[in-house]
Amino acid sequence: MNPEQFQNKLQESGISLTDQQMAQFARYYELLVEWNEKMNLTAITDRDEVYLKHFYDSLTLAFHVDLSRPLTLVDVGAGAGFPSIPLKIAFPELQVTIVDSLKKRIGFLDTVIDELGLDQVQAIHDRAETFGQNKAQRAHYDLATARAVARLSVLAEFCLPLVKKDGLFVAMKGAQVEDELADAKKAIATLGGKFLEDAAFELPENAGERHIIRIAKKKESPNKYPRKPGTPAKKPIQ
């Protein structure tokens, strides 16, 4: 998917990108490749693959969640900035917080934010577990998302405590999520969530199956969650 195809495909779904936004994506790609030579950000570096499997894939969240109004979004374990940076480029009114546990990646993200001229974006170096226990962050966001970070039961513990009541937790997943959904039922309920939808679709160019899992926050998450760093992954709520 070259940049022109990327722009046209998004247009078909009602997302119009200006020349400035396309220039921001082009610079993002350059920085990704440049920094990837110094540190491991992504195994995908071919331009057309990045546009499809990182940029376009990140923006599929907007096909299932209304981002046309100003929202506060937190991206947990964002790595190289997916999905939050593509979402911020396409929807400039979003207020974005990115959390990642590796300081080098935060350095990369700070450079991207600066070079692309993005405002109302902050990249924070922290573990998801300790970030979720920060009183200033708990129940603070309209939308929490994570893309291919951990199993859904673990992600629910990372993300739901950060979401306001009546906000959304959206997990972006690859193929075969049925077992994960079944395993995560107790965690979602325990943390005050309610499963809304598993939207399954295929990426263009036979690039694979994807799932957008939407979970509403209906009750406050108990204060004990998220537990200490490492515990959610070792002992998921089940």
Side-chain angles (χ1 to χ4, degrees):
M1 178 180 277
N2 65 37
E4 184 182 359
Q5 292 167 326
F6 167 74
Q7 188 175 23
N8 291 339
K9 195 71 178 169
L10 289 171
Q11 182 74 52
E12 289 173 17
S13 297
I15 299 174
S16 300
L17 297 179
T18 64
D19 289 347
Q20 182 192 355
Q21 287 167 313
M22 288 300 294
Q24 286 175 313
F25 276 111
R27 184 63 184 135
Y28 189 13
Y29 170 68
E30 289 172 359
L31 288 167
L32 184 69
V33 172
E34 186 184 310
W35 278 66
N36 203 58
E37 292 176 2
K38 300 182 278 184
M39 56 185 288
N40 181 28
L41 289 167
T42 176
I44 300 168
T45 54
D46 174 77
R47 185 198 65 175
D48 291 4
E49 281 203 58
V50 168
Y51 270 80
L52 173 58
K53 294 180 181 175
H54 284 325
F55 296 169
Y56 182 86
D57 186 26
S58 292
L59 290 171
T60 58
L61 184 146
F63 303 165
H64 302 276
V65 180
D66 179 13
L67 300 180
S68 63
R69 57 210 164 93
L71 294 172
T72 50
L73 178 151
V74 60
D75 184 4
V76 177
F82 308 121
S84 48
I85 297 289
L87 289 168
K88 175 64 181 176
I89 294 171
F91 299 92
E93 291 189 343
L94 288 175
Q95 294 180 41
V96 174
T97 299
I98 303 171
V99 186
D100 198 87
S101 61
L102 192 66
K103 194 156 183 62
K104 282 185 181 178
R105 280 199 292 258
I106 296 298
F108 166 71
L109 292 167
D110 282 338
T111 301
V112 170
I113 291 162
D114 184 52
E115 292 248 350
L116 272 52
L118 302 175
D119 60 3
Q120 293 190 304
V121 188
Q122 57 177 338
I124 296 175
H125 175 231
D126 203 351
R127 290 283 299 251
E129 297 95 333
T130 48
F131 186 78
Q133 282 295 351
N134 183 331
K135 286 187 170 64
Q137 305 296 344
R138 283 182 76 86
H140 179 72
Y141 296 92
D142 299 309
L143 174 64
T145 189
R147 177 177 177 259
V149 173
R151 287 182 66 81
L152 189 58
S153 54
V154 179
L155 288 182
E157 186 167 350
F158 290 166
C159 292
L160 277 168
L162 298 170
V163 180
K164 294 175 183 173
K165 195 174 172 189
D166 297 322
L168 273 181
F169 160 42
V170 181
M172 305 184 75
K173 289 283 183 181
Q176 299 173 333
V177 296
E178 292 81 5
D179 288 349
E180 278 195 51
L181 274 167
D183 288 347
K185 275 184 180 176
K186 184 175 179 184
I188 292 166
T190 300
L191 293 153
K194 181 186 178 187
F195 171 78
L196 295 179
E197 178 190 31
D198 170 18
F201 58 95
E202 293 282 335
L203 282 178
E205 302 178 15
N206 298 313
E209 182 182 334
R210 294 290 187 272
H211 291 257
I212 303 280
I213 299 167
R214 295 192 307 127
I215 295 163
K217 175 82 171 277
K218 291 299 183 186
K219 293 186 290 188
E220 295 301 336
S221 302
N223 288 333
K224 70 184 245 185
Y225 299 109
R227 291 165 290 167
K228 289 180 181 177
T231 305
K234 287 177 191 163
K235 297 180 180 177
I237 302 167
Q238 281 176 348

